[in-house]
């Protein structure tokens, strides 16, 4: 079954956040004190998230990414993932993680049936990494990447949020990882979700990131797969990994948006930057699969055509990415 929105876009991808909590405090994602802790009863139980996942797959979703906050800090996550991996019709199960717990958990995640890992990594220098993440340990993340490959995963995809004056000097080093380690690397435009003071100084467009790479490398275009989503991919000749640029702010990839999102408290969003959410809790407590199916169809049909943020104007209310899951 194919799920299509009112504009004819195929919607085959669900991003499901399982927690707002995190063991890092990335400066671009959440305030130093972290996010206000949700009441235990407000966070969806795994059975409820499983029903959302099953309903989504029955409607035509083929790929689910588990995100957060940091998904690996939630107790029972491995068991939950193995239940998701067994959903009939789900073709692709992935996680986005900061990698801090991967050295301990990679084998369990692989055995649970997770197929792909995306690891967020914004600097290869210990001090810069610690400054961006407010104390994160780079060596643990790097050993987590190694542990993932030893466990049997393909080289994890690396997500780097590029910020001018912070880590933009490392763009070429990250591009090099596609050759030296075989990771695919996606450069993400910094999104001013927290609207920090003078946030504009960090913004660096996907176009400029690409120019900086092409000044040193000849890139070939890589065809995108069915779930590729909003990035253009390239390859440095001979590299195993690919390069992608996520131009969430400047590029307006909305025309090819293929996803919906559900937060850990059951708020469904058709667009990351839209203030519109639909509360799924009434359809989960008590569970009403038929009504949930109908409301999820409506969310897809109501997906907006696009967002209106640019690096100059920014209209939506501020939020933390950890609440939505990126
Ligand atoms: N904790 C996990 C992690 O960091 O990979 C998953 C959740 S995190 C919110 C998901 C993604 O959102 C990460 O790749 C992170 O870099 C990205 N992200 C968070 N805040 C962002 C921002 N202001 N601009 C661009 N990307 C952001
Ligand atoms: Fe945590 Fe991920 Fe946000 Fe960093 S980007 S604070 S690791 S949720």
């Amino acid at each position: 079954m194919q799920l299509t929105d009112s504009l004819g876009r195929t919607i085959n991808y669900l991003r499901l956040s399982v927690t707002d909590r995190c063991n890092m405090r990335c400066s671009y994602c959440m305030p130093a004190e972290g996010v206000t802790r949700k009441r235990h009863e407000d966070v969806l139980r795994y059975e409820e998230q499983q029903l959302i996942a099953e309903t989504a797959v029955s409607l035509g979703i083929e790929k689910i990414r588990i995100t957060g906050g940091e998904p690996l800090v939630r107790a029972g996550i491995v068991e939950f993932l193995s239940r998701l991996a067994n959903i009939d019709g789900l073709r692709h199960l992935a996680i986005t993680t900061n990698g801090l717990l991967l050295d301990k958990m990679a084998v369990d995640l692989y055995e649970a049936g997770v197929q792909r890992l995306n690891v967020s990594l914004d600097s290869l220098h210990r001090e810069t990494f610690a400054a961006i993440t407010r104390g994160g340990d780079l060596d643990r993340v790097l050993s987590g990447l190694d542990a993932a490959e030893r466990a049997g995963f393909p080289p994890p995809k690396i997500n780097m949020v590029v910020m001018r004056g912070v880590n933009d000097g490392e763009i070429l080093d990250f591009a090099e990882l596609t050759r030296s380690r075989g990771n695919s690397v996606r450069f993400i435009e910094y999104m001013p979700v927290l609207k920090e003071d003078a946030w504009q100084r960090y913004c660096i467009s996907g176009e400029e990131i690409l120019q900086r790479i092409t000044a040193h490398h000849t890139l070939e275009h890589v065809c995108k797969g069915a779930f590729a989503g909003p990035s253009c991919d390239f390859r440095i000749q001979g590299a195993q990994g690919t390069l992608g640029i996520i131009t969430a702010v400047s590029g307006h990839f909305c025309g090819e948006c293929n996803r919906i999102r559900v937060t850990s408290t059951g708020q469904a969003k058709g667009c990351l930057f839209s203030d519109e959410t639909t509360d799924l809790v009434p359809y989960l407590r008590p569970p009403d699969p038929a009504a949930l199916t109908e409301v999820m169809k409506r969310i897809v049909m109501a997906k907006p055509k696009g967002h209106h943020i640019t690096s100059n104007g920014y209209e939506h209310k501020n939020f933390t990415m950890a609440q939505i899951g990126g």
Side-chain angles (χ1 to χ4, degrees):
M1 178 171 169
Q2 200 171 27
L3 187 60
T4 316
D5 73 4
S6 62
L7 299 164
R9 294 174 295 196
T10 299
I11 309 303
N12 57 9
Y13 178 18
L14 168 67
R15 293 179 69 100
L16 193 57
S17 169
V18 291
T19 181
D20 285 9
R21 293 174 49 211
C22 188
N23 47 2
M24 283 198 200
R25 292 283 180 276
C26 303
S27 52
Y28 52 71
C29 174
M30 60 167 79
E33 64 279 13
V35 288
T36 317
R37 213 164 159 167
K38 296 268 179 299
R39 292 185 314 164
H40 180 70
E41 60 270 32
D42 290 339
V43 176
L44 296 186
R45 293 189 293 275
Y46 282 136
E47 305 84 80
E48 295 165 337
Q49 284 165 330
Q50 186 173 344
L51 181 58
I52 292 172
E54 285 166 352
T55 305
V57 172
S58 75
L59 285 171
I61 293 291
E62 296 175 301
K63 168 176 172 176
I64 297 180
R65 175 175 301 284
I66 299 301
T67 175
E70 174 49 39
L72 300 187
V73 300
R74 181 156 175 191
I77 186 73
V78 172
E79 162 68 24
F80 172 61
L81 289 163
S82 68
R83 279 191 267 140
L84 291 191
N86 283 318
I87 296 177
D88 236 6
L90 181 64
R91 290 176 52 198
H92 198 93
L93 179 62
I95 306 185
T96 296
T97 170
N98 61 29
L100 267 189
L101 294 174
L102 266 187
D103 52 351
K104 291 197 189 77
M105 297 179 69
V107 171
D108 290 345
L109 294 172
Y110 187 75
E111 288 175 355
V114 175
Q115 287 150 295
R116 248 245 65 155
L117 301 174
N118 281 18
V119 175
S120 304
L121 175 60
D122 304 317
S123 176
L124 298 169
H125 297 295
R126 285 194 191 98
E127 296 74 29
T128 311
F129 183 81
I132 294 172
T133 58
R134 300 197 180 97
D137 179 352
L138 174 65
D139 293 319
R140 265 179 76 189
V141 178
L142 295 178
S143 60
L145 288 173
D146 293 338
E149 290 191 52
R150 276 198 309 277
F153 285 105
K157 258 192 193 168
I158 292 179
N159 289 345
M160 177 201 194
V161 177
V162 185
M163 290 165 285
R164 195 183 300 283
V166 178
N167 62 354
D168 61 321
E170 295 185 60
I171 291 172
L172 291 175
D173 297 338
F174 273 78
E176 190 54 39
L177 293 178
T178 64
R179 288 202 291 210
S180 60
R181 293 186 55 119
N183 299 101
S184 288
V185 176
R186 295 182 328 156
F187 298 95
I188 304 177
E189 283 180 345
Y190 158 81
M191 302 176 223
V193 290
L194 296 174
K195 294 195 248 182
E196 310 95 312
D197 288 342
W199 53 263
Q200 286 89 345
R201 70 181 185 277
Y202 297 126
C203 295
I204 169 161
S205 70
E207 196 184 342
E208 182 179 339
I209 295 169
L210 196 56
Q211 274 166 6
R212 294 220 206 159
I213 301 172
T214 50
H216 293 84
H217 298 286
T218 306
L219 299 182
E220 51 198 43
H221 271 275
V222 181
C223 290
K224 301 214 258 171
F227 308 119
S231 76
C232 299
D233 286 345
F234 304 93
R235 190 190 300 278
I236 299 176
Q237 233 179 15
Q240 188 191 336
T242 57
L243 295 167
I245 317 273
I246 312 273
T247 52
V249 179
S250 71
H252 286 277
F253 50 62
C254 309
E256 47 182 312
C257 184
N258 63 346
R259 60 200 54 196
I260 53 172
R261 295 174 161 83
V262 179
T263 70
S264 60
T265 55
Q267 306 305 306
K269 268 174 100 88
C271 170
L272 176 60
F273 295 106
S274 158
D275 292 328
E276 296 252 320
T277 57
T278 305
D279 186 4
L280 299 183
V281 172
Y283 312 96
L284 297 165
R285 299 179 179 174
D288 184 344
L292 183 63
T293 305
E294 286 313 307
V295 78
M296 287 183 74
K297 278 192 208 160
R298 284 208 298 276
I299 292 160
V300 167
M301 287 314 280
K303 251 178 87 65
K305 186 165 177 225
H307 67 67
H308 306 288
I309 65 165
T310 64
S311 53
N312 301 316
Y314 197 54
E315 291 161 11
H316 71 78
K317 297 184 196 131
N318 51 341
F319 57 91
T320 75
M321 279 298 225
Q323 286 164 335
I324 300 180

